[in-house]
Amino acid sequence: ETGTMRVWNGELFGWRDRSDHSELLVENDGQQVLAELKRANFDVVSVLDKIQGPFAFVLWVPASNTLWFGRDKLGRRSLLIHQTEEQLVLSSVSLPVNPVAGHSDAKVE
């Protein structure tokens, strides 16, 4: 999709159902996830459910005007959230030089 943006901090250890994912489409894990999302018509939940490995991600899908963000079920990658009236800041790392004041770690549900 034109304008689709993703930020990926993670590792793909494999897919639970390899029957239709027998070959990796690209060399980079983040590109692989985006390729799988496109193939699944951006059914984010079903694609993420198949991933084994630690991850945190942010995905903007302009076609549906939707912002997705989250992390693996065990919370092995951090996902920091800071929100004011004017902005929402999402990051998987906090910069020690210029930390986001008042950020909190996203809860794993």
Side-chain angles (χ1 to χ4, degrees):
E1 295 282 330
T2 302
T4 299
M5 294 185 290
R6 57 109 181 99
V7 177
W8 175 263
N9 177 6
E11 299 176 54
L12 293 180
F13 294 160
W15 296 99
R16 290 185 186 159
D17 178 3
R18 297 292 299 206
S19 62
D20 60 343
H21 302 98
S22 60
E23 294 182 26
L24 292 178
L25 301 174
V26 293
E27 295 178 21
N28 176 291
D29 286 353
Q31 291 173 335
Q32 178 68 33
V33 171
L34 185 57
E36 293 293 333
L37 285 165
K38 288 178 180 178
R39 184 165 40 185
N41 294 318
F42 289 93
D43 183 354
V44 176
V45 174
S46 70
V47 171
L48 293 178
D49 190 47
K50 295 176 184 177
I51 295 175
Q52 295 177 355
F55 67 86
F57 78 99
V58 178
L59 175 69
W60 168 248
V61 184
S64 62
N65 200 31
T66 306
L67 177 67
W68 292 86
F69 58 93
R71 59 188 185 168
D72 66 89
K73 295 173 186 171
L74 298 178
R76 295 171 287 183
R77 291 282 195 268
S78 64
L79 181 61
L80 304 174
I81 300 173
H82 176 74
Q83 185 174 7
T84 67
E85 290 183 21
E86 296 86 30
Q87 64 182 354
L88 172 66
V89 178
L90 300 165
S91 176
S92 65
V93 295
S94 178
L95 300 174
V97 176
N98 186 17
V100 176
H103 72 271
S104 61
D105 205 14
K107 296 178 182 173
V108 175
E109 297 180 15

